[in-house]
Amino acid sequence: MSVQPLQTSAAPAPHGWEPEIIAFCCNYCAYAAADLAGSKRMQYPTNVRIVHSPCTGKIEMEHILAAFEKGVDGILVAGCLEGGCHFIEGNLRARKRTDHIRETLDQIGLGSGRLKMVNLSAAMAPTFVQSVKEIVETVRSLGPNPLKAATKESAVKP
Amino acid sequence: MIVANSKPVRELTKLIERHDRILFVGCGTCVTVCLAGGEREVGLAGYAVRMARALDGKPVKLEQVTIERQCENEFIKDLVPAVERCDAIVSFACGAGVQALAERFNKPVYPALNTQFIGILEEQAVWTEKCLGCGNCVLGEFGGICPVTRCAKRMLNGPCGGSTEEHCEVGEDRPCAWQLIHKRLKTIGQLDKLDAIVPPKDWSTAWCSGARKVVRQDQRV
């Protein structure tokens, strides 16, 4: 049985809405890059909440799906450059997992654009800042996560 | 083991669209090993289905449980309380497990997987078919390599001549079963077995006459 993917859904953006983004950052690269960006007084959007991870390979698919189900608008997974993982191939595994989830997000109609993975090193603070700006803009154009409204509605019902 | 893979999320949500309280049942045996229907896959499918239904404006309540084996009533009976709380069951087992649940409970049972074949793990996340379950094993004659399953034409008296560079003409990712059989018999010093003419296979023991049954009178109580 063939099933066509749905159009990407988005709830209408309420006035003053700002995207909520979670950035899962690897300890050995993106987290240090974010730290460096702070030290260098580089400005980036405040929509991002950083989750410190020992390696992007430690980020399970359940973590990402649970965040989307709870209504987060977008997720950035930031890992080491390919070949530079402290645990050899954690970032490569994370890439496969994020690709798989992006397919699932397309199938259910939430849209794969809300999830992005980037590779960078601890010295690449400008790349981190750029990645954050890009995902914020992408998610802003997609609109709020419709699941947030759906969760609130179902919570109100007896 | 039985190898299966997941149905697309949208196909699964279409199957269960008329139900609001659903029990997802994983199986802890073959489909757990082939990463299709174990506790983890049930959890991931749960996230996807809940989100898909919420986006459709029809939220669903899911309960998830994984039992040791869905093809045995001894394990299935543990599901009774959970089944009573739900409108329908989604089975993450092979076709045997789905039917076992359907025979046991008077509630709709839906498959979450597409059952593929009896096979083995070739390498990480790659499974290949090894047995057709023909009911009359000939592996002893062919050095432990099954021409019935692994030869696309099920040839029993040598290769067809269509293979190229050890690959079957049907697909480059398939080795020629007869090339493997020859190599294997040579290794174990039994090439003489190929001199024998194998008569046409008796297919009456295979699926041709419908579902089969095995009865062991000596073990019955």
Side-chain angles (χ1 to χ4, degrees):
Chain A
M1 177 178 176
S2 67
V3 178
Q4 296 298 318
L6 295 182
Q7 293 294 314
T8 302
S9 348
H15 182 67
W17 168 76
E18 281 294 324
E20 282 181 357
I21 312 283
I22 291 179
F24 288 104
C25 292
C26 162
N27 175 62
Y28 295 94
C29 54
Y31 193 77
D35 201 25
L36 181 61
S39 302
K40 293 172 78 173
R41 301 290 185 266
M42 297 178 75
Q43 298 293 312
Y44 61 88
T46 55
N47 309 68
V48 170
R49 302 288 178 274
I50 291 180
V51 177
H52 191 180
S53 170
C55 172
T56 46
K58 184 64 187 163
I59 301 159
E60 299 288 350
M61 290 192 272
E62 289 91 331
H63 297 146
I64 295 171
L65 290 168
F68 278 123
E69 189 179 14
K70 288 186 176 178
V72 72
D73 298 308
I75 292 179
L76 178 69
V77 177
C80 298
L81 294 169
E82 292 192 3
C85 176
H86 192 75
F87 302 100
I88 312 298
E89 55 181 29
N91 55 349
L92 305 180
R93 292 182 181 184
R95 170 70 66 183
K96 288 177 185 168
R97 288 172 193 159
T98 48
D99 286 349
H100 183 72
I101 297 175
R102 282 164 57 84
E103 284 174 22
T104 304
L105 295 179
D106 272 338
Q107 281 185 36
I108 65 175
L110 197 57
S112 57
R114 294 181 185 276
L115 174 62
K116 184 180 180 184
M117 179 167 178
V118 293
N119 298 93
L120 69 174
S121 77
M124 295 165 71
T127 308
F128 179 79
V129 170
Q130 186 60 31
S131 302
V132 168
K133 286 179 179 170
E134 281 174 11
I135 186 141
V136 168
E137 284 317 304
T138 305
V139 173
R140 197 186 297 281
S141 66
L142 289 171
N145 179 349
L147 289 165
K148 194 184 288 181
T151 310
K152 277 182 186 166
E153 282 171 20
S154 62
V156 176
K157 287 176 187 169
Chain B
M1 66 171 170
I2 309 281
V3 179
N5 55 10
S6 307
K7 284 184 180 292
V9 178
R10 275 293 160 188
E11 185 180 340
L12 183 56
T13 49
K14 176 86 179 154
L15 280 175
I16 58 177
E17 64 185 353
R18 61 174 71 187
H19 306 288
D20 297 324
R21 294 182 67 91
I22 302 168
L23 177 65
F24 276 19
V25 186
C27 180
T29 313
C30 310
V31 292
T32 292
V33 180
C34 70
L35 310 175
E39 192 170 4
R40 180 139 194 257
E41 290 74 31
V42 169
L44 290 171
Y47 281 114
V49 167
R50 273 197 308 270
M51 286 197 279
R53 287 285 294 260
L55 289 171
D56 293 346
K58 294 182 288 183
V60 63
K61 284 197 184 324
L62 299 182
E63 200 170 325
Q64 299 169 2
V65 60
T66 299
I67 57 175
E68 191 65 31
R69 269 200 291 282
Q70 276 189 41
C71 51
E72 281 192 36
N73 207 31
E74 191 62 28
F75 298 104
I76 294 173
K77 65 185 183 186
D78 296 340
L79 294 172
V80 172
V83 170
E84 282 172 0
R85 291 191 292 269
C86 295
D87 307 330
I89 305 165
V90 171
S91 167
F92 285 72
C94 66
V98 177
Q99 292 181 65
L101 294 188
E103 284 177 14
R104 178 69 175 76
F105 301 111
N106 287 325
K107 290 199 175 174
V109 179
Y110 301 98
L113 307 182
N114 291 322
T115 307
Q116 301 294 330
F117 49 74
I118 303 173
I120 64 167
L121 179 69
E122 203 76 49
E123 56 187 85
Q124 172 72 21
V126 177
W127 294 268
T128 51
E129 185 169 17
K130 298 295 180 194
C131 179
L132 213 59
C134 70
N136 184 13
C137 191
V138 293
L139 282 169
E141 304 304 314
F142 302 106
I145 293 163
C146 181
V148 179
T149 310
R150 297 170 68 180
C151 172
K153 295 174 184 171
R154 299 180 185 173
M155 306 285 283
L156 295 178
N157 285 289
C160 64
S163 61
T164 48
E165 295 181 2
E166 304 183 10
H167 294 296
C168 175
E169 64 180 342
V170 171
E172 282 190 5
D173 60 332
R174 303 175 192 203
C176 170
W178 273 98
Q179 177 80 21
L180 297 174
I181 289 169
H182 185 274
K183 198 185 286 183
R184 172 76 178 152
L185 289 176
K186 194 174 179 182
T187 304
I188 60 176
Q190 293 185 1
L191 263 183
D192 58 296
K193 284 192 170 179
L194 293 183
D195 294 336
I197 302 295
V198 180
K201 187 170 171 60
D202 174 10
W203 287 98
S204 67
T205 56
W207 179 81
C208 318
S209 49
R212 291 164 282 175
K213 188 176 190 175
V214 172
V215 182
R216 282 279 302 271
Q217 290 298 350
D218 58 321
Q219 298 289 330
R220 282 176 68 84
V221 289

